Amino acid sequence: MITAQAVLYSQHGEPKDVLFTQKFEIDDENLTPNQVVVKTLASPVNPSDINQIQGVYPSKPEKTTAFGTSEPAAPCGNEGLFEVLKVGDNVKGLEAGDWVIPANVNFGTWRTHALGEEQDFIQLPNPTQSKANGKPQGLSLNQGATISVNPMTAYLMLTHYVKLNPGKDWFIQNGGNSAVGKYASQIGKLLNFNSISVIRDRPNLEEVVEELKELGATQVITEEQNNSKEFGPTIKGWIKESGGEAKLALNCVGGKSSTGIARKLNNNGLMLTYGGMSFQPVTIPTSLHIFKNFTSAGFWVTELLKHNRELKLKTLNQIIEWYESGELKDAKSTETRFDGSKELHELYKDGVANSKSGKQLITY
Amino acid sequence: MITAQAVLYSQHGEPKDVLFTQKFEIDDENLTPNQVVVKTLASPVNPSDINQIQGVYPSKPEKTTAFGTSEPAAPCGNEGLFEVLKVGDNVKGLEAGDWVIPANVNFGTWRTHALGEEQDFIQLPNPTQSKANGKPQGLSLNQGATISVNPMTAYLMLTHYVKLNPGKDWFIQNGGNSAVGKYASQIGKLLNFNSISVIRDRPNLEEVVEELKELGATQVITEEQNNSKEFGPTIKGWIKESGGEAKLALNCVGGKSSTGIARKLNNNGLMLTYGGMSFQPVTIPTSLHIFKNFTSAGFWVTELLKHNRELKLKTLNQIIEWYESGELKDAKSTETRFDGSKELHELYKDGVANSKSGKQLITY
């Protein structure tokens, strides 16, 4: 019998007010034939996890009394890495020691253990398996626990909508220094796409520009340059020289930053919006729509992959391959280990509070 | 020998400052085998004609000295109805008396006569031909001269992008009282689509609402209702009751009006922008893009049909059929006849000046 713990909420609200830790038991001695018991290795605090708790996110877990609460309560967390502890007699695809991630969102990953069935999980190679397969390196906890959202978002936005011609065509993105932005720069380079990353001006601008170019951004410009008419011809020059076109814009900011990147596209361009950090709406000059046949669409990895397991697996496999070869670097997280000195929900509350200054990962 | 006249400009500027009338000769006694001589029956003043003269429209005619000017000059006008006067020996598809419109934009329709070849024109039935074909009625001058832009725009936006299920699905449009808006309401009804037309509040609101409903709008609402959260459930109720979805929005206003109609769409909705009467950009809440998979695109009839003659002919034939059956009413124009009492360019200058108060048509 395992005494497990999960972070739950029964009422929506600010995480600091509504999270609590619930203990519950998993009877690992009497598994039904299809059951799988896993223990958590790590799970991050994502913005969407926070929005789910606040009740302002359109996808959310069902409330349940299955954790033994008197009131129905919902588990927190959508991304996480687990290790298989034990499997039922009919489970053929997984065994103890395997690394898995949830197959679907709303699984509840802010917990110590979970009981599920084989189809609830997708296997990742654990470091021993990567080594046995002759790979240069295995996945880190952070790579495994954060593989489902940011790198998948970057890869799918770059490949699923517009065909960029390698060595020629360009994409432009704002939020170039964000986690997704860094993945997009790297993946762009791996796929041989030219890219322009827009970032905010800052005291150590040159340093960040160099870092992003090292990751793979072809050019890095500031929001001021993005909004400047005078700077436009410089960008047109880069694109012309490449013999390609700027076909795709990735927007996680909105407002005039979205207008700026939209204007850089050639005719028939597409902008995908996957975030709105400025809290300003996406703003598109009428003439871009009419005379440049510009299209503005949305991207939400959850919805895209909900009914497309094949695409999810294909994308995961590509990311895994790049992690194992060392060609793709993960966005670093601040890691905090659950060692029992604080209650589990207190760790995640701290994680939420600290998430403004960088991605937080709780390890077990 | 025909002494013809055309309205030209050699410098971009306000029409009142730059238009002039140029006389030129058409040698109709010595046609080459493929030539066609036509005389103009009517041509309208469209906003895009004005923008071309101002130099702010992306599609424009080449300047030429073919009209006999010392400086290169460009002909004005894109839509118009002509009657064939005479054809060369090899021309098989046209004969004297046939009605034709230009096959392409930038033809120059503000003129008394033109010389072209068969492929420069598309034939419409003249009233005698419609009668001979047993049609209830022939096309009027206004219908023929304005068939290429507004009714085609409305029909193509309603049919070329999204499949609306007849009897169930909805489109919503702002500018419901505009020429395109009225065509869209009528064509929507002919295709059995439900529709919501948004119009500005006005003293004779009830009268206009009744007129638009008579034309075919299922519902007519004001911009205030379009922007009102409180009114949202009423619209949702209409849509729910129909058993369909709101799948398409047509935007010719921009700004908060575009936000309002975008918000009314169900998941996976498309908004087509074909105008920007408010001079405000298209404004889209980030959450619509991400969580409702909303897409905002542009529509420009010129570009869509430039390389798609088949679609142009198919669309034209549908509009002609509805005009001949009397099922589709044209947007009325104020008609002014060129009787020689004023120079030709003066008539069009007056037409430009008066176009704010309604569509202007010059007849010959």
Side-chain angles (χ1 to χ4, degrees), chain A residues 88-108:
Chain A
D89 292 340
N90 282 353
V91 174
K92 302 298 172 208
L94 291 174
E95 59 182 24
D98 282 349
W99 279 15
V100 295
I101 59 172
N104 302 304
V105 294
N106 303 330
F107 183 81

Side-chain angles (χ1 to χ4, degrees), chain A residues 173-179 182 197-212 220-225 253 277:
Chain A
Q173 62 173 346
N174 53 27
N177 199 35
S178 68
K182 287 177 175 178
S197 273
V198 183
I199 61 174
R200 279 169 299 180
D201 201 0
R202 57 193 81 205
N204 64 337
L205 180 67
E206 278 313 307
E207 197 182 309
V208 176
V209 168
E210 278 320 300
E211 185 203 339
L212 296 179
V220 181
I221 65 173
T222 63
E223 281 291 359
E224 288 67 33
Q225 290 171 324
V253 178
M277 294 196 298

Side-chain angles (χ1 to χ4, degrees), chain B residues 163-215:
Chain B
K163 191 181 158 19
L164 297 175
N165 293 310
K168 292 192 164 182
D169 288 335
W170 294 70
F171 70 93
I172 179 167
Q173 62 173 346
N174 54 27
N177 199 34
S178 68
V180 171
K182 287 178 176 177
Y183 280 113
S185 291
Q186 292 184 79
I187 292 171
K189 188 179 183 186
L190 286 165
L191 298 172
N192 198 17
F193 301 155
N194 290 308
S195 66
I196 300 169
S197 274
V198 182
I199 61 174
R200 280 169 297 180
D201 200 1
R202 58 194 79 206
N204 63 337
L205 180 67
E206 277 314 307
E207 197 181 309
V208 176
V209 168
E210 278 319 301
E211 185 203 339
L212 295 179
K213 284 190 172 177
E214 196 132 317
L215 279 179

Side-chain angles (χ1 to χ4, degrees), chain B residues 54 71 78 102 108 122 125 133 182 220 239 285 289 318 330 345:
Chain B
Q54 293 166 327
E71 264 192 281
N78 292 275
I122 293 174
N133 289 328
K182 287 178 176 177
V220 180
I239 294 167
H289 268 325
Q318 177 63 79
D330 49 326
H345 71 283

Side-chain angles (χ1 to χ4, degrees), chain A residues 201-252:
Chain A
D201 201 0
R202 57 193 81 205
N204 64 337
L205 180 67
E206 278 313 307
E207 197 182 309
V208 176
V209 168
E210 278 320 300
E211 185 203 339
L212 296 179
K213 284 190 172 177
E214 197 134 316
L215 278 179
T218 314
Q219 299 286 354
V220 181
I221 65 173
T222 63
E223 281 291 359
E224 288 67 33
Q225 290 171 324
N226 184 38
N227 294 325
S228 147
K229 271 199 175 170
E230 289 67 36
F231 196 72
T234 304
I235 295 176
K236 275 199 178 145
W238 295 337
I239 294 166
K240 200 172 173 188
E241 204 180 329
S242 71
E245 290 191 351
K247 291 183 175 168
L248 179 66
L250 311 181
N251 169 46
C252 65

Side-chain angles (χ1 to χ4, degrees), chain A residues 161-190:
Chain A
Y161 298 88
V162 169
K163 193 182 156 18
L164 297 176
N165 293 310
K168 292 193 165 182
D169 288 336
W170 295 69
F171 69 92
I172 179 166
Q173 62 173 346
N174 53 27
N177 199 35
S178 68
V180 171
K182 287 177 175 178
Y183 280 114
S185 290
Q186 292 183 80
I187 293 171
K189 189 181 183 185
L190 287 165

Side-chain angles (χ1 to χ4, degrees), chain A residues 113-362:
Chain A
H113 301 79
L115 181 66
E117 302 202 339
E118 191 171 354
Q119 73 272 13
D120 296 330
F121 301 103
I122 293 174
Q123 193 189 349
L124 306 184
N126 68 27
T128 313
Q129 291 160 346
S130 293
K131 200 175 169 191
N133 288 329
K135 304 294 181 183
Q137 59 192 67
L139 270 59
S140 68
L141 291 189
N142 187 55
Q143 287 172 340
T146 63
I147 201 167
S148 307
V149 179
N150 289 344
M152 305 271 278
T153 292
Y155 180 80
L156 287 166
M157 288 196 299
L158 290 178
T159 57
H160 192 65
Y161 298 88
V162 169
K163 193 182 156 18
L164 297 176
N165 293 310
K168 292 193 165 182
D169 288 336
W170 295 69
F171 69 92
I172 179 166
Q173 62 173 346
N174 53 27
N177 199 35
S178 68
V180 171
K182 287 177 175 178
Y183 280 114
S185 290
Q186 292 183 80
I187 293 171
K189 189 181 183 185
L190 287 165
L191 298 173
N192 198 16
F193 300 155
N194 290 307
S195 66
I196 300 169
S197 273
V198 183
I199 61 174
R200 279 169 299 180
D201 201 0
R202 57 193 81 205
N204 64 337
L205 180 67
E206 278 313 307
E207 197 182 309
V208 176
V209 168
E210 278 320 300
E211 185 203 339
L212 296 179
K213 284 190 172 177
E214 197 134 316
L215 278 179
T218 314
Q219 299 286 354
V220 181
I221 65 173
T222 63
E223 281 291 359
E224 288 67 33
Q225 290 171 324
N226 184 38
N227 294 325
S228 147
K229 271 199 175 170
E230 289 67 36
F231 196 72
T234 304
I235 295 176
K236 275 199 178 145
W238 295 337
I239 294 166
K240 200 172 173 188
E241 204 180 329
S242 71
E245 290 191 351
K247 291 183 175 168
L248 179 66
L250 311 181
N251 169 46
C252 65
V253 178
K256 66 181 179 179
S257 177
S258 59
T259 313
I261 61 173
R263 281 192 196 280
K264 306 298 178 288
L265 297 183
N266 289 77
N267 285 0
N268 309 311
L270 173 71
M271 181 162 75
L272 293 172
T273 288
Y274 68 98
M277 294 196 298
S278 73
F279 299 103
Q280 298 296 312
V282 177
T283 307
I284 301 158
T286 298
S287 59
L288 282 195
H289 268 326
I290 301 178
F291 301 128
K292 292 185 75 180
N293 197 30
F294 167 81
T295 299
S296 178
F299 180 86
W300 189 19
V301 70
T302 300
E303 188 59 28
L304 176 64
L305 297 180
K306 195 153 90 185
H307 305 294
N308 198 338
R309 194 177 163 103
E310 196 185 338
L311 181 62
K312 183 165 187 172
L313 292 178
K314 195 172 145 243
T315 307
L316 265 178
N317 287 338
Q318 177 62 79
I319 305 297
I320 291 168
E321 190 183 311
W322 281 329
Y323 275 151
E324 289 183 324
S325 69
E327 292 171 290
L328 185 65
K329 290 178 189 162
D330 49 325
K332 289 287 168 259
S333 301
T334 301
E335 302 190 6
T336 306
R337 193 170 172 82
F338 175 53
D339 58 8
S341 62
K342 267 193 175 183
E343 280 199 275
L344 190 58
H345 71 282
E346 295 292 345
L347 282 196
Y348 283 96
K349 276 162 64 172
D350 292 350
V352 169
N354 295 330
S355 64
K356 275 165 204 148
S357 58
K359 187 104 155 179
Q360 304 294 316
L361 185 78
I362 310 300

